[in-house]
Amino acid sequence: LHAFDGPVWYDCSAEEGIKTPVFSFSDVFMNPPVVTKNSGQALHKTIHYNGTSTLPTISADFHQYYKVFETWWTFVHIKNIDQCSQHPVLCPIHQGQTVNLTSSHAPLSPFTPYGWYRSRQIYRDEFTGDALGCVDMHFEYREK
């Protein structure tokens, strides 16, 4: 058994100090669930917006990790990535709205080491910078 038998994601809003998240997540999954040498991957997630006003633009901070010796190490941290251009269905988002997002990823570089990877995504109101919610996902990359 692997260390991550069970859910491949969780809501990390509390860990990020988001006291009242207005984004909640469901139906988060990866296809295929394990990335192999030439597979690529599609990430699916459903976002539920529980805020009180329409948000015209949304950005996200992406914090990417690789696991070495049972410790997660950051290998990239990019802030304020415009989500509206990548997911037009997300913007604007209205009170009570639910949207389904899919991100497609090409196969990883042949130089990418096998192992466990994690992506923490903090969604923000692009105008105010206020955090809306956080989702943390992980997957395994192996040869076969």
Side-chain angles (χ1 to χ4, degrees):
L1 295 177
H2 293 292
F4 292 115
D5 289 337
V8 297
W9 72 278
Y10 69 97
D11 187 305
C12 50
S13 297
E15 290 177 6
E16 289 294 330
I18 305 170
K19 294 181 181 180
T20 311
V22 293
F23 273 13
S24 59
F25 303 89
S26 66
D27 302 319
V28 179
F29 64 95
M30 293 84 159
N31 187 23
V34 174
V35 177
T36 57
K37 195 173 184 178
N38 295 309
S39 69
Q41 188 178 55
L43 281 107
H44 304 276
K45 61 183 158 271
T46 299
I47 296 177
H48 311 277
Y49 176 51
N50 303 311
T52 57
S53 62
T54 298
L55 296 177
T57 60
I58 297 163
S59 66
D61 300 344
F62 286 80
H63 197 157
Q64 310 297 101
Y65 303 88
Y66 178 66
K67 192 171 189 179
V68 179
F69 302 118
E70 299 304 313
T71 301
W72 289 106
W73 297 87
T74 298
F75 67 91
V76 69
H77 191 184
I78 305 170
K79 296 185 177 188
N80 299 317
I81 299 171
D82 173 30
Q83 294 301 290
C84 302
S85 61
Q86 293 181 1
H87 303 287
V89 68
L90 185 59
C91 304
I93 194 165
H94 305 282
Q95 180 180 9
Q97 188 175 354
T98 296
V99 295
N100 297 302
L101 305 181
T102 300
S103 301
S104 296
H105 299 277
L108 296 172
S109 162
F111 302 107
T112 302
Y114 297 121
W116 285 96
Y117 288 83
R118 225 173 100 200
S119 178
R120 178 168 284 207
Q121 303 170 3
I122 303 171
Y123 287 82
R124 297 183 180 281
D125 178 327
E126 194 167 31
F127 286 134
T128 66
D130 293 342
L132 306 169
C134 179
V135 63
D136 193 305
M137 303 164 284
H138 63 266
F139 69 90
E140 185 180 12
Y141 174 49
R142 60 185 181 212
E143 188 173 7
K144 298 177 187 180

